[in-house]
Amino acid sequence: MPKAPIILPIERSRVWWGLHGSLLLGLAVMVTALVGWWAGALVMLVGSGCLWRSIMRLPRGTLYLLPRAEGPLGRWLLPQGELDDALPVRCDYLTPWLVGLKVGPQRVWLWPDSLPAEAHRAVRRLFHSPGR
């Protein structure tokens, strides 16, 4: 009997935004102290644009993980309500707070605030191998 799919409603993470925004602000302050206010402003302007572009490119949507013996498959829910093609899913980073998945060629980071807690736990149970 096939296992039920794990449904992941993925949103953009505010934790990710806060960490990267703090790093950008720290870099701008250091550049301002070492070079001058004009260089710090330039770092903030260019860095803010890069940060905004990165935030907009973060994957979001609904991902269905289908557990199988050979390895899980992932299918994105398309805007029309249909499921996309099945892609192999590989977990290459697993911690209590952050999970890194490769869904086909795409990298998906699952932060604690990017999906519901129960879905986060289900993903960790799927990829956790006890005794390692």
Side-chain angles (χ1 to χ4, degrees), residues 58-126:
L58 286 175
R60 51 179 254 203
T62 304
L63 177 65
Y64 284 74
L65 286 181
L66 309 167
R68 299 181 318 149
E70 306 85 40
L73 291 177
R75 298 180 79 180
W76 287 101
L77 182 65
L78 298 174
Q80 302 90 342
E82 301 171 0
L83 289 175
D84 200 6
D85 296 332
L87 300 168
V89 177
R90 189 174 54 110
C91 178
D92 57 0
Y93 190 81
L94 182 66
T95 64
W97 294 100
L98 184 60
V99 178
L101 299 178
K102 290 284 283 187
V103 181
Q106 184 180 25
R107 159 68 68 194
V108 178
W109 289 103
L110 301 176
W111 291 83
D113 67 335
S114 65
L115 67 154
E118 187 53 43
H120 202 271
R121 275 189 231 95
V123 170
R124 291 192 64 246
R125 275 193 301 265
L126 177 65

